[in-house]
Amino acid sequence: MSKVFVTGHKNPDTDSICSALGYAALKRGLGVDAVAIRAGEVNKETQYALDYFKVEAPELVQSVEEKQPIILVDHNEEGQAVDGLAAADLQGIIDHHRLGGINTANPIFVHIEPVGCTATIVAKMFDRWQVELTKEIAGLLLSAIVSDTVLFKSPTCTQQDKDAAEKLAGIAGVELKEYGMAMLKAGADLGDLTPAQIAKTDSKPFSFGNYKAIVSQISVMDTADILAKKAELTAAMNELCKAEGYDLALLMVTDIMEESTELVFVGEPKQLIADAFGKDASGDSIYLPGVMSRKKQIVPQLTEAAAKL
């Protein structure tokens, strides 16, 4: 039997990479020949975590072969998944997002919870099935929780995420807040990224009614520098729409310290954005105080607004 691939989504974030590594380790602990792969490049924040805990990044596999056994983590929408998924042997989904419409020929194992991070679910599974967590895997799962909850500031964060993080920090041997801030700062360093790279940072495609959109997110300590390049960013986002056939491109520029987001956007219909957030969207950005979560504070609002257009 082929190895079971465990993979996160394209344009992977820290949860996508670290939950794949964690769940593959769990499956191996249960006697399954599983290996983590990645469907895209590793970002700076994730690389910081991998380097800190001395773990190699998963192998880059952008397309899987027919009948390849595969498990998805941190996503459940085919548009976000590795190429070839439709013909692969999908065996499971571990996630914390909305259901995205994947169809399967056979029953599969699905575990989805409304928590702040997939890694929280994976950590609980180690406990449930009594598989020992190594320091390295504990550290990576911790890193994912810190990332997805923005060190517990995100509205998606639950008590389960906090409890899991505290336990994982103990196993990993790190001081939680000190490590978490260092990792977030590493991820916020965008100095060597081009506007095109920033426009696709942590990006995911979505359909809002009849409109095809891509929603990206960058988290920074101060938005001033990045917003000073807004003209270059919007030009890159327009090129992205043309190249990949999106009606809309949205970039969340999230301020970790201020707990707010400047939502930069291009494309049509802008009325969708105006209706979703109750703001004048005639320009190219709107300020959203208190908004930090794409999953909870951006995508549902756009989905609801699209249904009324």
Side-chain angles (χ1 to χ4, degrees):
M1 179 180 173
S2 301
K3 284 182 181 290
V4 178
F5 285 172
V6 183
T7 181
H9 49 78
K10 295 177 180 176
N11 300 306
D13 59 4
T14 302
D15 190 22
S16 187
I17 295 289
C18 293
S19 285
L21 286 163
Y23 195 66
L26 174 65
K27 296 297 283 184
R28 290 194 298 273
L30 294 170
V32 177
D33 190 9
V35 60
I37 64 168
R38 58 186 170 92
E41 297 303 324
V42 175
N43 66 33
K44 285 186 176 183
E45 179 189 270
T46 309
Q47 192 61 57
Y48 178 91
L50 293 169
D51 290 344
Y52 190 96
F53 292 105
K54 297 180 174 59
V55 176
E56 291 290 326
E59 180 186 356
L60 176 63
V61 178
Q62 294 177 301
S63 180
V64 294
E65 297 180 355
E66 186 176 357
K67 304 297 184 183
Q68 168 63 50
I70 192 167
I71 296 170
L72 305 183
V73 298
D74 196 36
H75 70 300
N76 68 83
E77 301 193 34
E78 191 167 352
Q80 300 174 5
V82 62
D83 291 344
L85 177 68
D89 177 17
L90 179 59
Q91 298 188 349
I93 297 171
I94 314 299
D95 195 15
H96 69 131
H97 293 96
R98 70 175 190 175
L99 289 170
I102 284 179
N103 295 312
T104 63
N106 299 299
I108 65 170
F109 179 79
V110 177
H111 189 131
I112 298 175
E113 289 188 47
V115 292
C117 184
T118 304
T120 298
I121 301 169
V122 176
K124 292 193 298 180
M125 288 178 166
F126 273 90
D127 283 344
R128 181 186 312 156
W129 289 321
Q130 298 184 323
V131 175
E132 185 178 359
L133 262 171
T134 65
K135 173 181 177 179
E136 292 77 16
I137 294 298
L140 294 181
L141 295 177
L142 168 65
S143 301
I145 296 172
V146 167
S147 175
D148 261 22
T149 67
V150 197
L151 201 55
F152 316 125
K153 292 181 179 181
S154 171
T156 62
C157 184
T158 68
Q159 189 60 47
Q160 291 184 65
D161 299 298
K162 294 177 182 177
D163 291 345
E166 290 285 354
K167 182 173 182 178
L168 292 166
I171 298 171
V174 297
E175 199 288 314
L176 176 50
K177 290 190 177 180
E178 180 182 333
Y179 171 75
M181 282 303 298
M183 188 192 76
L184 292 175
K185 285 180 181 177
D189 179 10
L190 306 174
D192 59 350
L193 296 184
T194 67
Q197 289 172 321
I198 293 172
K200 287 203 74 173
T201 297
D202 188 16
S203 62
K204 290 184 178 181
F206 295 94
S207 291
F208 300 121
N210 296 322
Y211 305 106
K212 184 180 176 183
I214 185 168
V215 184
S216 305
Q217 183 173 23
I218 55 170
S219 297
V220 295
M221 298 296 175
D222 185 344
T223 62
D225 288 345
I226 195 72
L227 293 177
K229 303 175 182 177
K230 189 162 63 169
E232 298 169 67
L233 284 171
T234 54
M237 292 164 70
N238 274 311
E239 287 300 316
L240 175 59
C241 287
K242 290 176 185 176
E244 301 190 17
Y246 294 110
D247 299 296
L248 287 160
L250 301 91
L251 173 64
M252 298 173 64
V253 183
T254 299
D255 190 316
I256 295 169
M257 305 308 293
E258 295 294 329
E259 300 182 32
S260 64
T261 288
E262 187 78 18
L263 183 65
V264 182
F265 49 84
V266 301
E268 293 291 343
K270 290 186 177 182
Q271 189 61 44
L272 176 62
I273 296 167
D275 291 348
F277 304 107
K279 300 253 185 181
D280 178 2
S282 59
D284 55 15
S285 71
I286 55 175
Y287 176 67
L288 299 174
V291 170
M292 301 186 76
S293 169
R294 172 175 49 198
K295 180 180 73 171
K296 192 168 184 176
Q297 295 172 298
I298 298 292
V299 172
Q301 288 77 359
L302 289 166
T303 301
E304 184 177 347
K308 297 176 181 178
L309 279 182

